[in-house]
Amino acid sequence: MRVLFLTPYLPTPPRFGGQRRLHGLMVEVARKHEVLSLSFVDPNQDPAHAAESLRETGAYCRRVVTVPNRLLEVAGAEKRARQLRSLFGLRSYEYAVNRMQAMQVALDGILARERPDVVQVEFAQMAVYRFGRKGQGPRLCLDEHNIEYDVLRRTAGADVGLVRRAYNAVDWRKLRAEEHSAWRTFDGCVVTSARDEQLMARDAPTVRTAVVPNGVDIDSFIPSDVPPEPDTVLFFGAINYYPNTDGLLFFLREGWPALKARRPGTRLRIVGPKPPPSIATWPDPSVEVVGYVDDVRKEIARAAVIVAPLRIGGGTRLKVLEAMALGKAIVSTTLGAEGIDTTHERDVLIADDGEGLAAQLARVLDDDALARRLGSAARKLAVDRYSWRAATDTLLQFYERIGARAA
């Protein structure tokens, strides 16, 4: 079988959550079938990083085609201006930055020359192209990492500032209409959690769906024999992704002071690319903003406990799965652990306000046996339920359900 993945960025090397899902699934599909990649790239990316991405993606893809799109990385005043203009149009901001004629031309060429059996589109925002008629030609599968409009809807209802709430209140409704339309044009859609599948079934009951959970490379994410550093809390993830920014600022303002009052010697390490100024300049010497690292496993291994204080989001959090696979104790909000079959007190500790997060973190930091018990249970759950190989087996079975030829 020949599978074409249409993606908003190259999947490899996997440096953040979306890339990790793409990389995990595509590598596993490529073990049994032929994989092609068609992706946007940032034309302003460092040439060495661009070459590395092409080389490593090409290691398992028979063909890699890229299309430049600088709008995906636009930030600051230009991004705000484009978002403002989008409020007065019929389309969402996400549609505008992902819809490019050059990508349609590239897609048409690959479909004509390669004749894939399946086209898998990553994110609803990439479903803005013409793929041919549903049920004819390649089978069309949409991979919804999140129900995107639901993430924006949750953001619009959160305490995120008047301007952001107003913008998201308009944009999520446009994105919902576009997302619903996309679902109906595909032969099937995969989601990462049962909650997202229920939401899709409510909105579009005739769409064929499957839950293909996020996963982790359990052969690479292995618990370390090196003892963790005492009194060290770690937050890691793509800090420039707004749900992560929001959750981290919430923790810094409400959870961290409460934890420091209990345990003054505790330190917080923040690891992830492109921290915004509100976090990068946090005025507390006990908070270290590390930024991007090449191998996050080393940072996770050295931490005494992982915190996942998210208040906004959808799907499932890859950061939680990776910490689980490394056998770490995790303290999370309910939403941070959403979509993963965890149980409070068994393999994770849950709290939803600053004082509660501080209390649970203090429990772990005060009790090495509790940390080991939680970490051991988390590792077992990751191995049993959340390997990329198991997730990909479900995806390949879904291809068969929607009529793809498994030759």
Side-chain angles (χ1 to χ4, degrees), residues 351-369:
D352 288 312
D353 59 24
E355 285 288 344
L357 288 168
Q360 298 293 9
L361 287 165
R363 284 182 62 199
V364 176
L365 293 171
D366 288 339
D367 188 343
D368 290 343

Side-chain angles (χ1 to χ4, degrees), residues 250-264:
F250 153 67
F251 178 68
L252 285 168
R253 291 167 180 157
E254 300 186 24
W256 187 242
L259 180 59
K260 289 298 294 290
R262 292 169 180 263
R263 306 182 93 263

Side-chain angles (χ1 to χ4, degrees), residues 207-218:
V207 174
R208 285 184 286 189
T209 62
V211 176
V212 177
N214 281 326
V216 62
D217 184 349
I218 58 174

Side-chain angles (χ1 to χ4, degrees), residues 49-171:
H49 287 166
E52 178 189 24
S53 295
L54 283 169
R55 181 177 64 254
E56 294 196 14
T57 302
Y60 56 87
C61 291
R62 190 181 68 79
R63 187 175 180 197
V64 180
V65 178
T66 61
V67 175
N69 183 358
R70 79 171 191 87
L71 295 182
L72 291 177
E73 295 298 324
V74 72
E78 182 181 358
K79 182 175 182 179
R80 300 287 88 78
R82 289 181 176 277
Q83 288 176 321
L84 180 62
R85 287 200 297 272
S86 76
L87 291 177
F88 301 98
L90 298 177
R91 296 290 192 176
S92 69
Y93 172 77
E94 291 74 17
Y95 181 100
V97 300
N98 285 279
R99 183 73 176 93
M100 295 192 68
Q101 183 59 28
M103 178 60 84
Q104 185 67 65
V105 171
L107 176 61
D108 291 342
I110 290 180
L111 292 176
R113 289 190 299 271
E114 301 289 352
R115 298 187 179 279
D117 299 291
V118 175
V119 176
Q120 177 153 320
V121 177
E122 301 295 333
F123 301 94
Q125 299 95 306
M126 294 297 290
V128 297
Y129 296 100
R130 299 184 304 274
F131 303 96
R133 295 183 62 184
K134 177 181 175 180
Q136 299 182 8
R139 292 297 181 259
L140 305 177
C141 179
L142 177 62
D143 184 7
E144 285 276 56
H145 295 223
N146 309 292
I147 304 297
E148 298 296 337
Y149 87 78
D150 186 52
V151 175
L152 283 185
R153 181 187 61 79
R154 282 176 158 179
T155 306
D159 182 18
V160 295
L162 181 61
V163 174
R164 183 176 287 273
R165 283 203 306 271
Y167 166 76
N168 285 324
V170 174
D171 198 52

